[in-house]
Amino acid sequence: MRLGAPIAALAAVAFALAAPASSAPERLARNGLIAYTNEVHAAELYLANADGSGLTRLTDDEAPSRWPSLSPDGAKVAFASNREGAWNVYVENVDGSGLKNVSADAQLPFGFDGYPDWSPDGTKLAFTANAGQGGLDVVVYEFRTGVLKVVTGGRADDIRPRWSPDGTKIAYAQGDETGFHVCVVNADGSGFRQLTNAQGWQFEPTWSPDGTKIAYTTWPNQTSDIFVMNADGSGAHDITNTPRAQDTQASWSSAGIAFRSTRDGVDGVYVMQADGSDVRRFSAKGEFEGDPNWSRDGRRLVFMSGREARSSIAVSAPDDTQFRQLTNGPWFDSDPSWAPNGRRLAFTRNTARTVSDIYVMSSVGSSLRNLTRRRGLSWSPAWSPDGKRIAFVHFEGFGAQIWVMNANGTKKRPLTSTGSWNVHPTWSPDGKRVAYAGTRGGEDDVYVLDLRTHRERRVTRNAESPSWSPDGRWIAFSGYGPDSIATDVCKVRPDGSGRTQVTHSASDNRSPSWSPDGTSIVYEQDQFWGHDTDIWYVSANGGPERQAVSFNWPQFTPSWQPLR
């Protein structure tokens, strides 16, 4: 569950290079291994007919690929991927042949390149790039000459460009201290105009087929909707109006507007008429999909899908060495948790959309055992300090509660009953209390439950993913500090005092876990531009933030091995 509404006004791009993990103090080596979730094939590209038939997979890479765009003749697809260690723009034939790294050919510096869009005549590609001018810019690459032109420039971030149907203009979103606004510029860089002025975000523009209107994403309340305005910025109105769902990523063609939505609980691609009527789900129910983009004739749709996604449990040292993959198969493994002696790992395995159980295995991946095998969903295991019990989250019928069981799976019983959603359990070092994130009145807060008195106490507000320090003096969590522009790793004392911001990032930091000696915190960082999650660590007192695991596929839910 994510905290808060969309973040307005981003600071510097979080892809800036951090100090290498190998420069960390020698004490990190004594802290052993970090277990984490590896996710592969989480964002592959697919092509299908407008009615959903004729599904074809376009990419097959462990690193994610996003933001596909079909060439006007339908023979090629442009997209972005971080398969080479940074987000670059690529072009390939729809049969998978002829892969071309456009970013490399254009000799762009290291950074973020993405959101490609073909010119109507198919000779150029507009995209967002780090062109070395202080911010992200809209650039145009001409295939015939190999010349790259910076269209926008300046220190603002200019993202997600889209050509007008006649090829004379480019719409895009520009970020400043108040948020993002939809802007238009001539294809040669002249004639800049800002079309939206409301506070917050207005971005992801897309032109109507006749070029007279622009659809875009904005947040009229706490959730996003698709708006449509005239091409001069007048007449803006909401065409989706879904206060309980996020509607984003519109793409307009003669066949209607395709967009991404959470209205069925899982992000999927939908199609509607230009006035917002006749909404239908294009994605299969339950499939995670997004980034829709029409072919020019509206007959085919290219999109990102996680239908082939898999996740596994892996371990690595904090300096990215000693990598071992412990699980591998047609399932989703996540939430690894080390036993206090470091010899076993508990984790969550999803074998189907409605099956989620707690498993235990040895630290080398052997002796696998399912501990729950019951109705409902179970996840997020946490060992007690003496290794005799495991707390976990259980969902059955309605709501999620913290449960506990013996380490062999016997004597399961609930610990919480207050509120409808209690997750992320973590034990105090003395085993007498359990902290967790609870939702009360729509707000995520951290609570502590005294197992002797069974009294619950709120420790801090607007927080999630708590993790108790080995010495018992602090609880780390994901939340906001005084200068946060995204969720940061923070810490608070168990009595609720001393709330302190530990990280200072332009990207969301979540799922903190302490090093066994209590001097460092490992966490997952979701890079804003590419939505690519990596494992980072920081001193428990703050300071330089360093990447611990740097593979090109996403990693989640780290857990640091106990000292033996």
Side-chain angles (χ1 to χ4, degrees):
M1 183 176 296
R2 296 190 63 151
L3 292 173
I7 311 301
L10 291 175
V13 179
F15 279 93
L17 289 173
S22 59
S23 66
E26 286 296 321
R27 59 177 166 73
L28 288 175
R30 301 199 306 270
N31 276 315
L33 303 176
I34 298 171
Y36 54 91
T37 303
N38 259 343
E39 189 171 67
V40 297
H41 302 304
E44 302 286 2
L45 304 184
Y46 289 78
L47 178 66
N49 296 325
D51 62 1
S53 64
L55 184 69
T56 302
R57 183 171 171 173
L58 301 180
T59 61
D60 186 8
D61 194 85
E62 291 181 332
S65 297
R66 294 192 171 99
W67 313 301
S69 176
L70 278 176
S71 60
D73 62 4
K76 298 178 183 293
V77 60
F79 61 97
S81 174
N82 74 337
R83 61 186 63 192
E84 297 182 43
W87 282 93
N88 288 343
V89 170
Y90 297 82
V91 170
E92 69 178 14
N93 299 322
V94 293
D95 64 2
S97 64
L99 182 68
K100 177 185 180 72
N101 186 331
V102 176
S103 297
D105 290 351
Q107 299 181 345
L108 284 162
F110 180 90
F112 173 83
D113 305 330
Y115 308 118
D117 191 49
W118 294 87
S119 62
D121 62 6
T123 64
K124 304 179 185 70
L125 203 65
F127 56 97
T128 292
N130 173 18
Q133 299 193 17
L136 294 179
D137 298 311
V138 172
V139 300
V140 172
Y141 180 78
E142 186 174 4
F143 289 98
R144 181 179 59 84
T145 63
V147 172
L148 182 84
K149 178 180 177 59
V150 179
V151 175
T152 56
R155 299 192 62 83
D157 289 322
D158 303 322
I159 65 171
R160 207 173 179 94
R162 291 295 179 262
W163 293 88
S164 63
D166 63 6
T168 63
K169 298 179 178 64
I170 296 175
Y172 63 98
Q174 183 176 92
D176 62 18
E177 65 276 3
T178 66
F180 277 93
H181 307 286
V182 175
C183 301
V184 170
V185 68
N186 294 332
D188 63 3
S190 64
F192 167 83
R193 287 183 296 146
Q194 182 175 317
L195 301 183
T196 62
N197 296 282
Q199 284 194 335
W201 284 23
Q202 304 96 51
F203 77 136
E204 298 178 337
T206 179
W207 296 83
S208 64
D210 62 5
T212 63
K213 298 180 184 299
I214 295 175
Y216 60 98
T217 301
T218 190
W219 274 258
N221 297 296
Q222 294 297 311
T223 58
S224 55
D225 285 337
I226 306 298
F227 273 53
V228 169
M229 64 181 170
N230 297 324
D232 63 2
S234 64
H237 59 283
D238 192 341
I239 65 168
T240 57
N241 193 20
T242 50
R244 296 180 180 271
Q246 304 281 358
D247 296 332
T248 58
Q249 299 178 346
S251 178
W252 204 334
S253 82
S254 57
I257 296 177
F259 64 102
R260 177 174 176 167
S261 180
T262 62
R263 57 185 66 196
D264 283 341
V266 177
D267 289 70
V269 175
Y270 292 75
V271 177
M272 63 183 170
Q273 295 302 310
D275 62 359
S277 63
D278 299 330
V279 178
R280 66 176 177 87
R281 185 179 174 101
F282 174 85
S283 301
K285 190 172 180 62
E287 297 288 0
F288 170 73
E289 294 177 340
D291 301 333
N293 200 292
W294 288 105
S295 61
R296 292 285 175 181
D297 58 13
R299 295 181 179 179
R300 294 187 294 175
L301 200 62
V302 64
F303 56 97
M304 173 276 293
S305 177
R307 62 181 62 204
E308 300 295 331
R310 295 290 183 269
S311 66
S312 59
I313 304 300
V315 295
S316 175
D319 61 358
D320 210 9
T321 62
Q322 304 181 51
F323 171 80
R324 297 199 309 271
Q325 185 158 310
L326 302 184
T327 66
N328 186 27
W331 45 63
F332 291 89
D333 290 344
S334 62
D335 304 332
S337 176
W338 289 99
N341 61 11
R343 297 174 184 170
R344 289 187 294 171
L345 277 164
F347 65 96
T348 304
R349 173 166 290 180
N350 291 79
T351 54
R353 293 189 183 92
T354 57
V355 179
S356 176
D357 283 306
I358 305 298
Y359 284 72
V360 169
M361 63 180 171
S362 73
S363 61
V364 295
S366 61
S367 305
L368 183 70
R369 183 180 181 185
N370 186 337
L371 298 186
T372 48
R373 292 185 183 277
R374 57 181 290 118
R375 293 182 302 172
L377 306 175
S378 299
W379 71 94
S380 194
W383 293 85
S384 64
D386 60 8
K388 295 180 179 180
R389 293 172 293 172
I390 297 175
F392 63 101
V393 179
H394 184 65
F395 177 98
E396 187 173 339
F398 176 79
Q401 300 296 337
I402 307 299
W403 284 53
V404 69
M405 61 182 167
N406 291 338
N408 62 3
T410 62
K411 296 186 178 180
K412 301 177 182 69
R413 62 185 179 88
L415 289 181
T416 64
S417 58
T418 303
S420 61
W421 198 260
N422 297 295
V423 292
H424 300 296
T426 178
W427 295 80
S428 63
D430 61 8
K432 297 178 180 179
R433 292 170 292 176
V434 172
Y436 48 90
T439 302
R440 310 285 189 269
E443 182 181 85
D444 295 331
D445 302 324
V446 169
Y447 292 83
V448 170
L449 180 71
D450 191 312
L451 299 180
R452 298 160 297 181
T453 65
H454 214 70
R455 290 180 179 173
E456 179 188 74
R457 179 186 180 188
R458 181 169 55 201
V459 174
T460 191
R461 293 180 177 273
N462 200 19
E464 62 177 15
S465 306
S467 176
W468 220 304
S469 67
D471 62 8
R473 297 174 58 195
W474 295 97
I475 296 174
F477 61 93
S478 177
Y480 292 101
D483 64 353
S484 293
I485 60 173
T487 54
D488 273 303
V489 174
C490 303
K491 62 181 182 179
V492 68
R493 294 188 180 92
D495 63 3
S497 65
R499 179 165 171 155
T500 305
Q501 182 179 343
V502 177
T503 64
H504 301 79
S505 175
S507 298
D508 283 319
N509 295 333
R510 303 190 188 91
S511 301
S513 176
W514 293 82
S515 62
D517 64 5
T519 62
S520 301
I521 299 174
V522 66
Y523 55 95
E524 63 182 54
Q525 182 174 103
D526 184 358
Q527 306 287 1
F528 172 80
W529 296 114
H531 306 294
D532 183 33
T533 305
D534 299 306
I535 304 300
W536 290 60
Y537 68 89
V538 66
S539 167
N541 294 320
E545 299 159 29
R546 298 180 171 92
Q547 192 168 352
V549 181
S550 57
F551 298 110
N552 293 338
W553 51 84
Q555 301 94 34
F556 303 89
T557 58
S559 176
W560 216 320
Q561 186 182 48
L563 289 172
R564 300 187 184 184

